Amino acid sequence: MYRVELLLSLTIILVTTVLGIATQNPPERTTKAYPNFQLEVVVNGRPLTEYYARGRTYIEALEGAEYELRLRNASPDRVAVALSVDGLNTIDARHTSAWNASKWVIEPYQTITISGWQMSSERARRFYFTNERDSYGAKLGQTANLGVISAVFFRERSRPVPITPPHPITRDKTESERSASAQSAPRPDDDYAATGIGRNVRHDVRWVDMDLESRAAGEVTIRYEYYSALLKLGVVPRDRHTLQRREDSRGFSPEP
């Protein structure tokens, strides 16, 4: 039985592994593979349209827009979710396996919304679409997985018991180390979408204790790119924006 720690944010819980061995990375899947688990990217309260192509799920990034990640657990089990953006865990910004990652926990049939990077037990910084140069990943010298949002779900073995937080949320590197890593990282390409570390918002959390099944119950992965990149990949039609403007003029609403 594996022991893990969890962090509770109002009705939301975060988990970080204490013991255990990282599981092998599963093959890439789309959001349709696991009907009990859902991940949506939300802007202004509306989920962005998903496109299924080239064996992946894509969305169109909207430059400068803040976004949220909506996670739904449609199963009767409590689950813990390793949620990463651009390859960085949304709780502690670490780049680890899903099993070893800090995790959010969702009650049965519950939906939660994560709006930013958790910076401490009280504060978070908003997600927003930007370019590679301005991304949080570039600031940390971690740019290998820009444009990828991933949620890996683990079922709970037993109910958790609240405990006193054993330690504050920390980062892998000091500010000076991050600056050095960023300077040595490859030159970013500003034509592609990435996620920045935005404005500071209140987000209270606390740690609890929990046992998880070692095998992931499901994984949802979304790739986001700007329209020009999606067009080059053949994911969206060249005249999609023109068609939407025509529909608007006839009184129809475009897709979110």
Side-chain angles (χ1 to χ4, degrees):
M1 184 174 291
Y2 297 93
R3 300 296 295 174
V4 293
E5 296 171 343
L6 299 95
L7 187 59
L8 176 64
S9 167
L10 300 178
T11 58
I12 302 172
I13 302 174
L14 304 165
V15 190
T16 181
T17 306
V18 176
L19 297 177
I21 301 174
T23 56
Q24 293 182 346
N25 292 329
E28 187 174 21
R29 302 180 177 92
T30 69
T31 56
K32 297 302 182 183
Y34 299 100
N36 286 334
F37 308 120
Q38 185 178 26
L39 167 65
E40 292 179 317
V41 181
V42 179
V43 174
N44 294 327
R46 302 180 67 185
L48 297 180
T49 301
E50 295 180 353
Y51 303 93
Y52 303 96
R54 306 167 68 91
R56 293 182 174 182
T57 300
Y58 291 88
I59 60 167
E60 180 184 347
L62 307 175
E63 187 170 5
E66 291 184 336
Y67 70 86
E68 299 173 321
L69 300 177
R70 183 183 294 165
L71 294 160
R72 173 154 179 79
N73 173 23
S75 77
D77 304 304
R78 199 175 193 183
V79 298
V81 186
L83 179 65
S84 64
V85 174
D86 293 354
L88 303 175
N89 186 274
T90 56
I91 299 168
D92 55 24
R94 294 176 178 174
H95 180 70
T96 67
S97 67
W99 173 249
N100 290 318
S102 299
K103 301 176 181 67
W104 302 93
V105 174
I106 316 178
E107 299 289 339
Y109 308 109
Q110 184 188 31
T111 298
I112 65 171
T113 300
I114 308 301
S115 61
W117 311 93
Q118 194 70 33
M119 304 305 295
S120 71
S121 60
E122 297 179 346
R123 311 299 298 183
R125 299 279 296 273
R126 289 296 308 269
F127 301 128
Y128 70 93
F129 293 118
T130 186
N131 55 46
E132 294 187 36
R133 188 180 305 278
D134 184 51
S135 69
Y136 191 23
K139 290 178 172 61
L140 299 179
Q142 298 281 347
T143 58
N145 294 287
L146 296 184
V148 177
I149 301 172
S150 176
V152 183
F153 297 77
F154 295 86
R155 288 192 174 90
E156 179 189 25
R157 291 183 188 271
S158 60
R159 300 294 294 181
V161 178
I163 60 174
T164 302
H167 52 73
I169 298 174
T170 59
R171 295 292 183 270
D172 285 332
K173 301 179 180 180
T174 64
E175 291 298 328
S176 60
E177 289 173 331
R178 292 175 188 172
S179 298
S181 296
Q183 292 174 0
S184 62
R187 182 181 178 86
D189 186 341
D190 290 342
D191 291 337
Y192 295 98
T195 296
I197 178 169
R199 60 189 176 93
N200 198 308
V201 293
R202 184 65 182 258
H203 199 220
D204 295 314
V205 293
R206 66 182 175 88
W207 294 96
V208 296
D209 191 42
M210 184 179 181
D211 292 322
L212 297 178
E213 295 181 357
S214 60
R215 183 174 181 177
E219 178 179 0
V220 181
T221 301
I222 294 176
R223 178 86 189 188
Y224 65 91
E225 296 285 1
Y226 290 132
Y227 177 75
S228 59
L230 294 178
L231 193 62
K232 292 177 183 177
L233 291 171
V235 175
V236 296
R238 182 174 297 277
D239 59 349
R240 182 176 64 83
H241 285 180
T242 301
L243 290 174
Q244 286 189 343
R245 286 196 294 271
R246 289 176 180 173
E247 289 175 352
D248 289 343
S249 65
R250 291 160 53 193
F252 293 98
S253 297
E255 293 180 341

